[in-house]
Amino acid sequence: MAQARKIVTWVVLAFVLYTIIDQPARAADLVQVGFVGISNGAKSIGQFMHDLAD
């Protein structure tokens, strides 16, 4: 199982590097989408905690 995880990690890393080198604008868009998702999730948790406290 550990060997499979190591292989998957290397494949994902190779794909990420290939995407960054081959299509930097697309890679930047994907990173932006990821950060927007994280930001929206944090805002939702904050709103939930606020509503829970009220």
Side-chain angles (χ1 to χ4, degrees):
M1 193 63 161
Q3 188 70 13
R5 180 182 287 181
K6 185 183 283 188
I7 291 170
V8 169
T9 301
W10 280 108
V11 168
V12 168
L13 181 62
F15 176 74
V16 167
L17 289 175
Y18 172 77
T19 302
I20 290 171
I21 292 168
D22 191 50
Q23 300 174 350
R26 174 78 172 134
D29 289 341
L30 292 174
V31 170
Q32 183 179 11
V33 166
F35 279 122
V36 167
I38 291 170
S39 175
N40 289 342
K43 287 178 186 174
S44 296
I45 291 171
Q47 185 63 42
F48 173 75
M49 293 298 179
H50 181 269
D51 293 343
L52 192 62
D54 285 341

